[in-house]
Amino acid sequence: MDYANVRSLEEAARAVLDPVHYDYFAGGAQDEITVAANEAAFARIGLVPRILRGAARPRLGTTVLGAEMSMPVMLSPTAFHKLAHPEAERATARAAAAAGVTMISAMLSTVAIEDIAAEARKAAPGGAEPSLWFQLYVQPDLGFTEAIVRRAEAAGCRALVVTVDSPALGRHERNDRNDFHDLPPGMRCENLRELPGEGLRDLGGRDSGHVRQVVLSPEISWDHIAWLRQISDLPIVLKGVLHPRDARLAVENGVDALLVSNHGGRQLDTTPATIDRLPIIAEAVQGQVPLLLDGGVRRGTDVIKALALGATATAIGRPAVWGLAAAGEAGVARVLDLLRNELDNALTLCGCASPQDVTAELLTTMEGPHQ
Ligand SMILES: Cc1cc2nc3c(=O)[nH]c(=O)nc-3n(C[C@H](O)[C@H](O)[C@H](O)COP(=O)(O)O)c2cc1C
Ligand SMILES: CCCCC(=O)C(=O)O
């Protein structure tokens, strides 16, 4: 497979995807200002390498919340993989597990979490336990939410990633234009079927697992995080933190890690680029919890910039979907391979022996004059 970079996999994906589904994956909220900003902000940060440090070949591995990762790149949760490829999340899970990469499995996956976990186990090298985390949209029906948490726990997920930037769905004008609001026949959100409780918005009780049954509720609050803490021993990661006051509150509320994210520009448009928010969040939490970052990570150099500004690891959303659409499991594997090779190369060129070796001294702005 001769894809030279993530961009070429996006082009390949675009060529094979139904344009309506391509728009769903690629698009963002309203004017997509944030979608563009996430990538553009990385390009405005300059890297200044250190020389002659005799660092040898870098080691890329890192650990987050006890999870060993072969590199500081994880898979952010993305819904509806069956729209990209018939093997859907099964293929994604195999590629991630084979690469030693943590997959944050979306609550709105088109394969059930038990089946995703089984595929990951099959693919993990040498029978190692694959690293699988579960993304949750807390539903106002707590009985329903608890049931899905229990399923994730039983399937072997090792952390709950609670998405907190979605008190409502962002306004996706591409989806409106395309009249795309639910999965096509034959595809369902497999985790949402047949759970106890009033559960999802009622469609008349006939069938379940439709996207439009999911409740994104503005009533979700810190009380729900406290409740989750009580009902589960899994570490809790808050996904979608952008304000330093919320970062502080998260630490005070016993959250275990933060994922600095603007949902890839799909929720509130004109939120700034995540990489530009990272320093202020790092300042607020003072190393008390690990920070993760997603949004616009497309290159090994992007990963280095996030590490330098205080992230322990990064995560990718769309790139994995492009790989999946272009070539199934092999395509996701290729995306991870590309990022691994680029990160190895960039660390070496910066004179760093490991991700832990990366500090802010490597950074400047692309525009001069420099101090
Ligand atoms: C097609 C698509 C579906 C997504 N679905 C979810 C989801 O179900 N839950 C969630 O928390 N975030 C979801 N996200 C946001 C991602 O987890 C992540 O924050 C974002 O994609 C990162 O930006 P990137 O795509 O530039 O890498 C989705 C993003 C995309 C592109
Ligand atoms: C209710 C659909 C939410 C999926 C999602 O989070 C996204 O597409 O960004």
Side-chain angles (χ1 to χ4, degrees):
M1 221 182 306
D2 56 355
Y3 299 110
N5 51 41
V6 168
R7 180 79 54 225
S8 55
L9 279 136
E10 173 168 2
E11 283 162 19
R14 186 172 196 163
V16 296
L17 281 169
D18 177 326
V20 171
H21 300 158
Y22 173 80
D23 272 352
Y24 164 69
F25 289 128
Q30 294 184 331
D31 295 311
E32 302 184 350
I33 287 169
T34 298
V35 177
N38 279 343
E39 287 189 39
F42 279 113
R44 282 200 307 272
I45 300 172
L47 285 172
V48 186
R50 297 298 311 273
I51 57 169
L52 296 174
R53 299 216 289 190
R57 284 295 303 281
R59 285 165 285 105
L60 303 190
T62 197
T63 305
V64 184
L65 300 178
E68 286 185 19
M69 307 183 176
S70 65
M71 61 174 165
V73 179
M74 313 168 62
L75 297 190
S76 264
T78 45
F80 314 153
H81 286 194
K82 210 166 266 184
L83 293 174
H85 191 274
E87 287 182 53
E89 288 84 0
R90 286 189 174 84
T92 315
R94 287 196 299 269
V101 163
T102 297
M103 173 176 178
I104 307 175
S105 197
M107 176 170 123
L108 303 183
S109 55
T110 45
V111 172
I113 186 60
E114 295 80 3
D115 298 334
I116 294 171
E119 292 300 312
R121 277 199 193 93
K122 272 190 240 164
E129 188 61 16
S131 181
L132 190 62
W133 296 3
F134 189 79
Q135 178 265 329
L136 182 70
Y137 285 118
V138 173
Q139 299 295 290
D141 180 336
L142 297 185
F144 179 86
T145 302
E146 178 164 356
I148 203 165
V149 168
R150 296 286 171 248
R151 263 181 87 172
E153 288 173 339
C157 296
R158 292 299 167 82
L160 293 174
V161 178
V162 184
T163 301
V164 290
D165 59 16
S166 304
L169 191 61
R171 307 296 316 159
H172 289 223
E173 294 177 12
R174 294 202 212 197
N175 291 346
D176 291 347
R177 273 198 300 278
N178 295 328
D179 198 20
F180 178 72
H181 299 290
D182 203 342
L183 290 167
M187 294 185 205
R188 291 288 169 84
C189 299
E190 293 295 336
N191 294 329
L192 306 185
R193 289 189 192 252
E194 292 162 28
L195 286 174
E198 292 282 304
L200 301 159
R201 189 179 294 146
D202 189 16
L203 287 182
R206 287 177 325 281
D207 55 4
S208 59
H210 290 282
V211 180
R212 57 189 188 280
Q213 291 174 284
V214 177
V215 183
L216 299 183
S217 168
E219 287 159 27
I220 304 304
S221 74
W222 290 107
D223 291 344
H224 291 85
I225 305 301
W227 169 80
L228 264 184
R229 175 93 297 158
Q230 272 177 11
I231 67 150
S232 177
D233 292 332
L234 290 178
I236 294 176
V237 183
L238 291 195
K239 174 175 185 283
V241 180
L242 293 171
H243 202 295
R245 287 199 192 135
D246 288 330
R248 286 294 329 148
L249 282 170
V251 171
E252 286 161 19
N253 280 275
V255 162
D256 298 282
L258 304 181
L259 173 41
V260 177
S261 173
N262 52 31
H263 213 111
R266 296 162 73 83
Q267 285 295 97
L268 179 64
D269 196 22
T270 73
T271 55
T274 50
I275 193 68
D276 288 337
R277 296 305 291 167
L278 182 58
I280 193 174
I281 303 288
E283 171 74 23
V285 307
Q286 289 290 316
Q288 286 178 281
V289 294
L291 298 179
L292 310 170
L293 172 132
D294 75 19
V297 175
R298 303 292 180 266
R299 290 286 192 183
T301 47
D302 298 337
V303 178
I304 293 197
K305 291 168 190 179
L307 298 175
L309 290 172
T312 305
T314 60
I316 52 169
R318 292 179 185 84
V321 173
W322 304 143
L324 181 64
E329 177 184 349
V332 179
R334 180 67 185 148
V335 166
L336 296 175
D337 238 34
L338 281 166
L339 288 172
R340 185 188 313 284
N341 290 336
E342 289 180 11
L343 178 61
D344 184 299
N345 180 246
L347 281 171
T348 307
L349 290 171
C350 284
C352 295
S354 72
Q356 296 72 30
D357 228 17
V358 174
T359 65
E361 79 164 350
L362 297 174
L363 301 184
T364 188
T365 55
M366 284 302 284
E367 299 84 45
H370 295 151
Q371 298 290 315

